[in-house]
């Protein structure tokens, strides 16, 4: 399985692959919603409730690349 690094700031984040290429993007929207393009080009809209424990960026990224 490919591992990705999450980089960025201010609500715009990029998934970088092992060769340092951009493999996906995440954009934070209002109210816990995220919009992303997963590796392979699949577009997804994700919800991470504001009261969720943990780093919301990482949770959204895991959901983006998940099944």
């Amino acid at each position: 399985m490919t591992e990705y690094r999450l980089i960025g700031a201010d609500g715009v984040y990029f998934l970088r692959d092992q060769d340092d290429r951009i493999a996906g993007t995440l954009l934070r929207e209002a109210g816990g919603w995220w919009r992303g393009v997963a590796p392979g080009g699949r577009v997804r809209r994700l919800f991470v409730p504001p009261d969720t424990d943990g780093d919301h960026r990482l949770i959204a990224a895991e959901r983006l690349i998940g099944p």
Side-chain angles (χ1 to χ4, degrees), residues 47-60:
F47 182 69
V48 179
D51 61 347
T52 302
D53 289 336
D55 188 334
H56 291 188
R57 298 169 302 164
L58 296 177
I59 294 167

Side-chain angles (χ1 to χ4, degrees), residues 26-27 29-37 42-48 63-64:
L26 273 173
L27 173 65
E29 298 179 335
W33 286 98
W34 294 76
R35 185 175 305 274
V37 178
R42 182 179 61 192
V43 177
R44 297 185 70 181
R45 193 153 187 243
L46 311 156
F47 182 69
V48 179
R63 291 181 182 176
L64 180 67

Side-chain angles (χ1 to χ4, degrees), residues 7 10 28 53:
I7 62 168
D10 297 327
R28 183 178 54 217
D53 289 336

Side-chain angles (χ1 to χ4, degrees), residues 1-7 13-25 37-40 61 64-65:
M1 179 177 199
T2 303
E3 290 190 23
Y4 299 98
R5 291 182 299 128
L6 186 63
I7 62 168
Y13 303 95
F14 301 95
L15 295 169
R16 305 289 303 243
D17 66 13
Q18 294 136 332
D19 295 324
D20 212 30
R21 295 180 300 217
I22 295 175
T25 59
V37 178
L64 180 67
I65 60 176

